[in-house]
Amino acid sequence: MKIQATIIGMISAIASLAVISPSHASIQTRNAFCMYFVTGSVTPQAAMPCTVSSDVEVFDAEIVWKDGVRQSFKNYDGVPFTYRDDRGGKVYKKLGLYDPSEKFDTVSDRAYQMENGTIYIWWRR
């Protein structure tokens, strides 16, 4: 019995170390410029300033467009860069989208790909 209790205690301790609680993560909010493209379109359906908030690049994310539209993405089952939107649809975060030639003074280092379109996030360098 003592050995079983000790093993269960050790497993619980290890499991608690492996779980990162979003409430302990630091939330970062940045001003940006967002563009929403419907899948297959080369012209954005929406393009305007926005703020982007996320916690540790893995958990929840939120985009607030200048016109007041708010989009929230909740982490999906602990899988990095995989979310569910407010409707329950899958959303994937894409990284490393910037132009390495640095010809422009802005950079799109991330996008949120949804079922019907993609939001590109543009930061000022």
Side-chain angles (χ1 to χ4, degrees):
M1 268 312 199
K2 283 187 174 183
I3 293 174
Q4 186 179 13
T6 302
I7 291 172
I8 291 172
M10 289 173 50
I11 291 171
S12 296
I14 291 169
S16 69
L17 292 174
V19 175
I20 300 173
S21 169
S23 63
H24 292 87
S26 63
I27 295 176
Q28 298 176 346
T29 300
R30 292 181 65 184
N31 292 324
F33 190 83
C34 294
M35 299 175 78
Y36 174 72
F37 288 84
V38 173
T39 301
S41 177
V42 295
T43 305
Q45 184 173 349
M48 67 186 73
C50 61
T51 58
V52 180
S53 301
S54 63
D55 53 4
V56 193
E57 302 295 333
V58 176
F59 295 103
D60 302 341
E62 181 176 72
I63 298 171
V64 180
W65 297 75
K66 184 179 180 182
D67 65 1
V69 172
R70 181 178 305 266
Q71 292 175 285
S72 297
F73 306 132
K74 303 292 181 194
N75 181 250
Y76 180 66
D77 288 342
V79 178
F81 310 121
T82 305
Y83 304 87
R84 292 280 184 187
D85 63 18
D86 292 333
R87 302 179 309 26
K90 278 196 175 180
V91 178
Y92 301 97
K93 181 189 255 184
K94 306 291 184 181
L95 298 175
L97 304 172
Y98 62 90
D99 178 7
S101 68
E102 298 186 19
K103 294 177 188 173
F104 305 103
D105 66 343
T106 58
V107 60
S108 176
D109 71 343
R110 76 188 63 200
Y112 291 93
Q113 181 181 2
M114 299 169 288
E115 294 171 355
N116 297 318
T118 303
I119 299 171
Y120 289 90
I121 311 298
W122 296 90
W123 314 113
R124 177 85 46 206
R125 284 196 198 259

